[in-house]
């Protein structure tokens, strides 16, 4: 959930005296190899999308693009936890290759336009899913707030009724 290149310590303050062109070319080679090996390890595991809760460095984006890995920056911890729960993933504090239990799976990750807003969509194409998203559109914020409250009340009513053992499904709902 932190930035995906923060643990390398690549952004430090200091003064470096470079005297030759060879020193200049060798200056960032170690950093590049470290980041490239990290991204290659993810690609070797079959990772196609990485979600970061922090900054994403330019070099990390370069190597992610080279290995065809989509990088999504998600700044909300609540949204990050919700996404992890929906795809059965574990949020990792550092950019390390995940184990099979920590790595989640998703049927489709894509950019979509909803109205005039571009959103990243994570879809699970299976019968039962841990959660769903309802997109509300309206002409004013007040109308959308009223619709959101009505949907929230309806969903919570169904949740409470489904947990009450005294209620039985009717009208051929079984």
């Amino acid at each position: 959930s932190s930035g995906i290149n923060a643990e390398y310590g690549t952004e430090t303050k200091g003064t470096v005296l470079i005297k030759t062109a060879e020193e200049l070319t060798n200056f960032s080679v170690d950093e590049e190899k470290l980041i490239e090996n990290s991204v290659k390890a993810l690609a070797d595991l079959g990772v196609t999308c990485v979600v970061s809760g922090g900054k994403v460095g330019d070099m990390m984006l370069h190597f992610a693009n080279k290995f065809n890995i989509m990088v999504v920056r998600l700044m909300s911890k609540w949204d990050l936890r919700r996404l992890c729960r929906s795809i059965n993933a574990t949020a990792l504090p550092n950019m390390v290759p995940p184990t099979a239990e920590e790595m989640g799976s998703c049927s489709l990750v894509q950019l979509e336009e909803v109205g005039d807003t571009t959103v990243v969509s994570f879809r699970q194409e299976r019968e039962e899913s841990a959660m769903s998203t309802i997109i509300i559109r309206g002409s004013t914020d007040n109308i959308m707030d009223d619709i959101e409250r009505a949907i929230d009340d309806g969903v919570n009513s169904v949740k409470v009724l489904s947990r009450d053992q005294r209620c039985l499904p009717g009208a051929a709902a079984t």
Side-chain angles (χ1 to χ4, degrees), residues 71-138:
V71 178
V72 178
R73 186 174 170 206
L74 191 60
M75 297 306 294
S76 168
K77 283 187 180 181
W78 186 84
D79 286 338
L80 188 63
R81 287 185 189 125
R82 184 172 187 257
L83 176 63
C84 287
R85 189 174 29 171
S86 68
I87 63 172
N88 295 324
T90 301
L92 300 174
N94 295 337
M95 178 69 175
V96 295
T99 63
E101 295 82 30
E102 295 170 333
M103 193 166 38
S105 65
C106 193
S107 303
L108 179 66
V109 180
Q110 68 181 4
L111 288 173
E112 292 182 6
E113 282 195 29
V114 178
D116 58 354
T117 305
T118 304
V119 296
V120 179
S121 172
F122 292 83
R123 294 181 187 249
Q124 292 288 30
E125 302 293 334
R126 59 181 187 218
E127 282 287 321
E128 295 181 22
S129 183
M131 61 186 60
S132 297
T133 301
I134 299 173
I135 298 174
I136 301 171
R137 295 179 65 193

Side-chain angles (χ1 to χ4, degrees), residues 38-53:
S38 176
V39 176
K40 186 175 183 331
L42 290 175
D44 290 344
L45 288 173
V47 173
T48 56
C49 181
V50 173
V51 179
S52 172

Side-chain angles (χ1 to χ4, degrees), residues 18-34:
I18 298 175
K19 296 179 182 178
T20 65
E22 185 178 335
E23 288 178 356
L24 180 62
T25 56
N26 292 333
F27 179 68
S28 64
V29 170
D30 292 338
E31 178 185 5
E32 285 184 29
K33 289 211 180 294
L34 188 63

Side-chain angles (χ1 to χ4, degrees), residues 142-161:
N142 291 338
I143 291 175
M144 290 192 300
D145 288 342
D146 291 343
I147 293 171
E148 182 180 1
R149 274 192 295 277
I151 291 172
D152 193 40
D153 291 345
V155 168
N156 285 330
S157 296
V158 170
K159 189 188 323 181
V160 167
L161 286 173

